[in-house]
Amino acid sequence: MKNIILSILICSGIISAQESKDNLFGFATSNTFTYCDINDTTFLNKIIELNPKLLRFPGGAVGNFYHYGKSAYGFEFEEIDKYDGGRFPKRSRSLVRSANKYGHTHDYIEDFIVMAKQTNSKAVLVANMFVDNNDIIKMINKIQSHNIEVVGVELGSELSNRTFYAKGYTIDKYIKAAKRCSDKIKMRFPKIKTAVVAAPIIENKYHRHSIWNKRLAEMDFYDAIIIHSYATVIKGEKEFGQMLTEITEGDSKHEAFKIYKSRALEYLDYRYPKEVNTYTDLFNKPIWVTEWNLQISWTTGNTILQSLFVASYFLELGCNDNFQNIKLTTYHNMGGRDYSGSIFRINNDFLETQSTYYPLRMIGNIFNVDGLQIKKEVISQDIFHYLIYSNNQLKYSCFINWGNINKLVNIENNRRIKLESFFSNNLFDKANVYGRLLSENMIIQPNRPIKINTNSITLISYLDE
């Protein structure tokens, strides 16, 4: 097959090991089982169509205080109030009220097992670092008893945050708890990997985050580090992956979203690779990104801009050499009540689907390819072509168009192709409650020009002759 006209090959990456491929296309399930009904076949079938390879349980904040064998997440409010000086004490009570409203008396690990079994997914678990018990061992035994592979355990989530520091939680306390938990896991399950919580990168070497990372980097009881990634494209006050306040920019929505697009692309091209390389140099360990998304915002949430970012992030994992040390990711989040973070949102007991669903369903096809190899070509400043190979055989092409102009491309190919496109006229357009914007599905005969729609994710499947 000849290259697309005017395109330039700029990067390629081969995901050679089955483990690496499977663990990149993952999803967090924080709050999902509180608000989304696993017995709802419509919901479950949508999850199955995503083709996830990895699922995270119980989640971040809820994972820090989960207790095995109790109702829902098994929260103990005295424990939460003792260790968390932020908003989670209030949020945890809201989660319990919702669980009671829906009559949930079972442990949510049961729902997680159903989802993992139905999707044939592996599991990554989060351990409670504030207790010294055998809950994590029981969790692993429970999940493995259902023939679900546990690939790793996170030794807590975001425990370097000031909300824990304000309650007296220090790096010394974390290292003691994390090593104790990791040793316990490896004694029973030597093949299961453990990962520690890395703090955000701070230039000031005397900042507590820098001290946290320096101390952890000196240890060797763990297999990987955990980072979280929320790309900030809007100015304002932010906290824990979401915007608290937003500063209006530009004279119109068009101008504002042009600015947001520029920042999103700069994040993928420069800021994020630089951050990943800094962590790699410091720790010399594999990286698990167990929460990532576009910064949670009412402005950019559920837009085609968010869809373009999410699709691009996954594809860049497969071809950008700067990301080769990232071995595991779980997109945040599968389901909840939030407007922009979750793929599925419960609103007045109605299951809404967000704009990221259909693009992620396309990406799911790509990450289920055997012997996956992804190469990237630049067609223009705003249009990128990702060629997806299965054991050196071209399987798919995926075009990401961040621009507001349609583009005709010529592919000399002797096979028919199936084209699926998800797009919209403006970057700020939001999906309806079914997750839909504009779409096209068609069969195209060999050697015909292909239209790449404005603001679009386009998946091309090469059909057998």
Side-chain angles (χ1 to χ4, degrees), residues 351-362:
L351 181 69
E352 295 184 0
T353 303
Q354 303 285 278
S355 68
T356 51
Y357 174 71
Y358 288 101
L360 283 172
R361 200 171 71 172
M362 295 184 205

Side-chain angles (χ1 to χ4, degrees), residues 381-397:
Q381 181 179 350
D382 290 327
I383 305 176
F384 307 98
H385 178 204
Y386 297 86
L387 298 96
I388 292 88
Y389 294 87
S390 174
N391 298 316
N392 297 317
Q393 175 71 35
L394 185 64
K395 183 75 173 178
Y396 297 107
S397 281

Side-chain angles (χ1 to χ4, degrees), residues 13 27 61 67 103 110 114 124 151 157 163 188-189 211 217 226 292 305 326 354 392 402 433:
F27 297 85
H67 288 271
E110 303 291 347
V114 172
V124 59
V151 299
S157 177
T163 56
R188 294 286 300 273
F189 310 100
I211 295 170
I226 303 159
W292 69 270
L305 175 77
I326 296 176
Q354 303 285 278
N392 297 317
W402 292 81
V433 296

Side-chain angles (χ1 to χ4, degrees), residues 46 65 185 187-188 193 260 266 387 389 408 450 456:
K46 283 181 174 289
F65 299 104
I185 291 166
M187 185 177 297
R188 294 286 300 273
K193 299 181 185 301
Y260 303 155
E266 189 217 9
L387 298 96
Y389 294 87
L408 280 179
I450 298 169
S456 66

